[in-house]
Amino acid sequence: MHPKNPFNKDYNFEKLIAVHPALKPFVFENEHGNKTVKFANHEAVKALNTALLKTHYGITYWNIPEDNLCPPIPGRLDYLLHIAELIPKIEIHLLDIGTGANLIYPILASRHFNWQCTASEVNQDSLSNAQEIIDKNPDLKDIELRHQQFKSHILEHIIQPTDVFDVVVCNPPFFKNRTDAEQSNRRKFKNLELSEEKTQNFGGLSNELWYKGGEAAFVQKMAEESLQFKDQVQWFTAVISQKENLKNIKRAINKTKPSEVKIVEMEQGNKQSRFIAWTFK
């Protein structure tokens, strides 16, 4: 995990429960005598996220529908900490592609870094939920939401002629279809020797989890569209969960003739991921 990530250390569950008592039923001692939660349980992850956002960022209201993606906050913050190193300036305007109902990148970017944030989302219900989070937290009032009405586009119809962004962030849907997502989830739970009735601990709607062709196709489409906005965006970035996709993704990006392409490795516990970044500047 990034050395500046405040979630590097073990959670102080006493403090978190004091701030958000609804977390208490999900906390238990494991075989090593350490307090933790069942990360296989969607409600446990949701309660933990709520407690973390209240404790560290003063977010008094954060809620997502049961079927929406519930992101792990430390990993999402790690991405932004690396972005901060990529763009060494204080005032950053960030565009989040596919913010979801959870609004997590704009929340972390605005509260941890004081960045200006704009976010897009294709699902209207998710967008409405994100707007409710903004409306109920005065500290988030400057976050702007935009509806992507065209599912076949990513940046087009979102970036307007007068917009200027320092960075675009994106956590693409990485499965190719529903079957691909379900098979991956079953493998994960088998490897972890977990048995939960609900096998999607972080949840997720179809548009959050899969895209025709998977993350490789999504980022390739994003790269094609990025060429249109090369004078309005300093850095385009996207998380790549599957390392084997990097070669094709990088080839697609290079076709747009960027001035620089970077791959930044990230590690959270046993999970390894990375993001790719390209610029025309």
Side-chain angles (χ1 to χ4, degrees), residues 149-197:
Q149 300 181 53
F150 303 91
K151 293 183 179 180
S152 59
H153 293 291
I154 299 171
L155 303 173
E156 289 183 22
H157 308 290
I158 292 299
I159 300 179
Q160 301 302 310
T162 57
D163 285 334
V164 176
F165 296 104
D166 295 289
V167 64
V168 171
V169 299
C170 180
N171 205 38
F174 45 84
F175 297 116
K176 297 177 181 178
N177 49 50
R178 178 188 291 271
T179 302
D180 190 23
E182 291 175 347
Q183 287 177 347
S184 176
N185 235 0
R186 281 195 292 270
R187 284 194 299 271
K188 178 178 69 174
F189 273 73
K190 185 178 180 180
N191 292 339
L192 293 174
E193 296 181 349
L194 297 171
S195 57
E196 294 282 334
E197 288 184 13

Side-chain angles (χ1 to χ4, degrees), residues 59-83:
I59 303 300
T60 55
Y61 173 85
W62 185 82
N63 190 34
I64 57 172
E66 185 178 349
D67 292 332
N68 281 93
L69 191 67
C70 188
I73 288 174
R76 297 301 196 260
L77 181 60
D78 239 38
Y79 181 17
L80 298 182
L81 286 164
H82 284 287
I83 293 293

Side-chain angles (χ1 to χ4, degrees), residues 192-235:
L192 293 174
E193 296 181 349
L194 297 171
S195 57
E196 294 282 334
E197 288 184 13
K198 207 160 192 183
T199 57
Q200 277 181 242
N201 53 331
F202 295 113
L205 299 179
S206 59
N207 64 287
E208 295 175 323
L209 293 177
W210 60 85
Y211 178 86
K212 188 177 180 180
E215 68 178 5
F218 188 96
V219 181
Q220 287 169 19
K221 173 65 174 171
M222 182 176 168
E224 291 171 11
E225 293 188 10
S226 71
L227 191 57
Q228 302 176 46
F229 307 104
K230 64 180 183 178
D231 296 323
Q232 294 175 258
V233 178
Q234 183 178 355
W235 283 97

Side-chain angles (χ1 to χ4, degrees), residues 27-193:
V27 177
F28 70 100
E29 280 195 10
N30 61 20
E31 64 271 22
H32 305 293
N34 299 321
K35 287 188 176 181
T36 186
V37 301
K38 276 193 174 183
F39 288 97
N41 184 308
H42 182 273
E43 290 303 315
V45 175
K46 185 175 171 182
L48 177 60
N49 277 0
T50 304
L52 291 173
L53 291 173
K54 280 185 177 181
T55 303
H56 291 270
Y57 300 114
I59 303 300
T60 55
Y61 173 85
W62 185 82
N63 190 34
I64 57 172
E66 185 178 349
D67 292 332
N68 281 93
L69 191 67
C70 188
I73 288 174
R76 297 301 196 260
L77 181 60
D78 239 38
Y79 181 17
L80 298 182
L81 286 164
H82 284 287
I83 293 293
E85 292 181 344
L86 185 68
I87 309 172
K89 57 182 286 192
I90 296 174
E91 294 184 5
I92 288 178
H93 191 180
L94 173 147
L95 171 61
D96 177 23
I97 297 295
T99 198
N102 57 73
L103 193 71
I104 201 65
Y105 284 127
I107 291 174
L108 295 176
S110 61
R111 298 298 293 140
H112 192 93
F113 302 95
N114 199 31
W115 293 348
Q116 182 183 353
C117 297
T118 302
S120 74
E121 173 56 44
V122 69
N123 184 286
Q124 186 62 65
D125 290 336
S126 295
L127 198 70
S128 297
N129 194 85
Q131 186 62 57
E132 184 179 15
I133 293 172
I134 293 171
D135 293 341
K136 292 186 177 180
N137 289 281
D139 289 338
L140 303 179
K141 61 181 175 58
D142 292 332
I143 296 173
E144 180 190 356
L145 298 183
R146 297 180 183 179
H147 183 212
Q148 175 56 275
Q149 300 181 53
F150 303 91
K151 293 183 179 180
S152 59
H153 293 291
I154 299 171
L155 303 173
E156 289 183 22
H157 308 290
I158 292 299
I159 300 179
Q160 301 302 310
T162 57
D163 285 334
V164 176
F165 296 104
D166 295 289
V167 64
V168 171
V169 299
C170 180
N171 205 38
F174 45 84
F175 297 116
K176 297 177 181 178
N177 49 50
R178 178 188 291 271
T179 302
D180 190 23
E182 291 175 347
Q183 287 177 347
S184 176
N185 235 0
R186 281 195 292 270
R187 284 194 299 271
K188 178 178 69 174
F189 273 73
K190 185 178 180 180
N191 292 339
L192 293 174
E193 296 181 349

